[in-house]
Amino acid sequence: GMNAVFTVSYEMDQALGTDYHRRFLKFLRRVQDEDLMVAGSMTDVKGDRGLSPSRQADPDMYVRVVEKRPEGIIVRGAKAHQTGIVNSHEMLIMPTIALDEADRDYAVAFALPVDAPGVYQVFGRQNNDGRKLEAGQIDCGNPRYGQVGGEAVTILENVFVPWERVFMCGEHQFAGLLVERFASYHRQNYGGCKTGICDVVTGCTSALCKIHGVAKASHVRDKLTEMIHLAETLYCCSIACSSEGQPTASGAYFVDPMMANITKQNVTRYAYEVARLAHDLAGGLLATLPAEADFEEPTVGPLLKKYLKAAGGVPVEHRLRLVRLLEGITSATPLLESMHGAGSPQAQRVMILRQGQLEHKEKLARHLAGVD
C-alpha cells in the first residue's frame, strides 16, 4: 500500500503538477520515525458489483468525497475485510477499482488514524473465536501468536480528513494504476506469507505422523514431499517477481506484475491442497477432539489421556497441542484469506491475460511456422 501510493503520487505530480508526493513523503517519514503500523485499506463493500460506484442505488457503497472544505475533505463509505486494522495506528484508504469521469468523487486516497472521529471498527467473527476467551492454552490453537485474521468492517461516517493527509482527490485516471500497483505488491508478498504458513502446516503434519507411528509409510512420505513441493513453488514465484522488478520514475522498485499475479493465483490453489493433504494425514481427531477442560475433569480426564495417547510415549498433551494448531491454521478463515486476500482468483486471471502478450506469442509461432 505504501509503495503503491508513493509511486502513483509521484506520477500524478509529474503529470498534473499536484502536491501529493510531498504530502505522502511527509506522512511516510512520520511512519518511519515513529515506527507506526499502517493498514492498507482498499476493499470497498461494493453493493451491486455489476454497477460502477456512481451508478449504485446507494452512493456510499464505495468510499467517496461528500464535501470539500478549505481545510480538508469529508468522506463517507466503508471498507470490508480489513486485516489487523484494529491494532494498527493508521489506515491508508485507496480506491478498489479503475474509475471514469463519472466516478471522480470516488477517486480518493488518504491516511487517517484508525480511531479518528466518525470511524467505526466492527470486529468480525471467525470459527472458534470464542475459544480465545476460555481458560487454558490448548484450545486456542496457537498460544504464542494467535491465528490469522483479526478482520473488521471499517465504517467512515462523515469523517474529516485534512488536506495534508490527502494523496488523491478526483484524479480518476490514476485510480486503475494505483489499484494495479497495490495488488501486484500484495500478490507478490503472498508467495512469502503463504509459504511460511505452509511450512508450519507441513511441520505440524509431519510431527503428528510421527506421534501416530506412520511417518515411515511410503504414502505419508510422498504426501509430505508434495506439500514441500507446493510450498517451495509458491516461494519461487514470489522470489521471481521480486528479482525481476524494475525501478519506477520515483526510484521505488515495482515487482514484475505478471509473475506477481501468477504467485497469487497459485496461492488460491496450493494453500488449499497443502491443507487437504494435512487433513488427510492428520486424521479425524482434527474435527472431533474434546475440549481442553475435559482432559482436566477428575473422572474422564485420566481416561481421555489414556485412550488418546499414541505412539512412542509422547505426552498426550503434545498431540493435543499439535492437533489444535493444525485445526486453527487450516480452518475456513485462513483458507478463505488465501482465496480472496489480495484479490479473488478471477482478478488475477484478468491481469494474467492482459499482461500475457498473446499477440507477441502468436507472432513468434507464426514466424516459426512460416505463416507470417
Side-chain angles (χ1 to χ4, degrees):
M2 303 288 279
N3 274 341
V5 175
F6 178 87
T7 59
V8 174
S9 64
Y10 178 87
E11 290 170 39
M12 283 196 292
D13 282 8
Q14 299 303 301
L16 305 175
T18 55
D19 196 32
Y20 292 130
H21 198 240
R22 180 197 61 80
R23 296 179 192 174
F24 188 75
L25 280 173
K26 182 179 178 181
F27 171 71
L28 182 59
R29 289 190 187 100
R30 177 170 168 260
V31 168
Q32 293 174 340
D33 290 344
E34 299 180 23
D35 193 24
L36 301 180
M37 175 65 74
V38 181
S41 302
M42 178 166 278
T43 305
D44 288 285
V45 291
K46 297 187 178 76
D48 184 341
R49 286 155 171 77
L51 299 175
S52 64
S54 60
R55 293 173 177 83
Q56 297 286 326
D58 184 335
D60 297 335
M61 293 298 97
Y62 292 75
V63 171
R64 67 187 179 110
V65 178
V66 294
E67 184 182 346
K68 292 181 181 179
R69 298 178 179 176
E71 64 274 20
I73 59 176
I74 304 296
V75 298
R76 188 160 63 232
K79 295 289 186 179
H81 322 308
Q82 297 303 292
T83 302
I85 198 166
V86 299
N87 55 297
S88 296
H89 301 97
E90 300 270 340
M91 52 188 173
L92 185 56
I93 303 290
M94 295 165 280
T96 194
I97 57 173
L99 303 169
D100 59 24
E101 173 64 32
D103 301 320
R104 62 181 306 113
D105 290 342
Y106 300 89
V108 61
F110 56 88
L112 196 68
V114 298
D115 58 350
V119 174
Y120 299 89
Q121 306 284 3
V122 186
F123 203 73
R125 292 303 306 264
Q126 297 176 4
N127 288 350
N128 302 320
D129 54 7
R131 292 182 187 174
K132 297 174 178 63
L133 304 177
E134 296 176 3
Q137 287 193 335
I138 295 177
D139 284 351
C140 66
N142 186 344
R144 296 174 186 262
Y145 301 106
Q147 300 290 359
V148 67
E151 283 77 25
V153 176
T154 299
I155 299 171
L156 309 171
E157 194 65 17
N158 298 323
V159 176
F160 171 73
V161 186
W163 283 115
E164 276 296 298
R165 286 174 156 267
V166 177
F167 314 126
M168 172 186 282
C169 188
E171 294 81 10
H172 61 89
Q173 65 270 41
F174 289 92
L177 179 63
L178 178 54
V179 172
E180 181 181 330
R181 294 274 173 89
F182 175 88
S184 294
Y185 283 119
H186 200 358
R187 290 165 189 172
Q188 167 232 22
N189 67 51
Y190 259 54
C193 168
K194 301 311 173 194
T195 297
I197 291 174
C198 288
D199 284 349
V200 175
V201 171
T202 303
C204 194
T205 305
S206 178
L208 281 170
C209 286
K210 290 179 180 177
I211 289 174
H212 296 161
V214 298
K216 295 181 179 180
S218 60
H219 78 94
V220 170
R221 294 170 64 85
D222 183 63
K223 289 169 183 173
L224 289 171
T225 300
E226 179 65 4
M227 293 167 76
I228 295 168
H229 162 73
L230 292 169
E232 295 304 322
T233 300
L234 289 181
Y235 193 53
C236 288
C237 290
S238 191
I239 291 294
C241 74
S242 303
S243 65
E244 292 293 311
Q246 299 292 329
T248 63
S250 70
Y253 270 73
F254 180 49
V255 299
D256 183 287
M258 168 63 93
M259 292 184 180
N261 279 277
I262 296 295
T263 301
K264 176 64 210 313
Q265 184 78 179
N266 286 342
V267 167
T268 67
R269 302 174 183 180
Y270 295 176
Y272 277 77
E273 180 62 10
V274 168
R276 187 190 71 80
L277 290 167
H279 291 176
D280 178 356
L281 293 176
L285 201 61
L286 207 62
T288 65
L289 183 66
E292 179 178 353
D294 292 330
F295 288 84
E296 303 305 322
E297 201 277 332
T299 301
V300 301
L303 294 171
L304 283 173
K305 291 176 182 177
K306 171 184 177 179
Y307 288 112
L308 291 182
K309 66 178 181 292
V314 176
V316 68
E317 181 183 324
H318 291 192
R319 185 187 189 194
L320 307 184
R321 286 179 175 272
L322 288 165
V323 165
R324 285 297 188 218
L325 172 63
L326 189 57
E327 178 199 16
I329 209 169
T330 60
S331 65
T333 297
L335 289 181
L336 279 168
E337 199 254 357
S338 294
M339 178 66 74
H340 292 292
S344 301
Q346 188 58 28
Q348 289 106 58
R349 301 189 77 79
V350 169
M351 293 303 297
I352 290 167
L353 183 60
R354 184 182 302 168
Q355 298 161 359
Q357 298 181 304
L358 277 180
E359 289 186 6
H360 174 66
K361 291 178 171 62
E362 286 183 21
K363 183 178 180 180
L364 296 177
R366 289 177 179 278
H367 177 70
L368 290 172
V371 294
D372 53 355

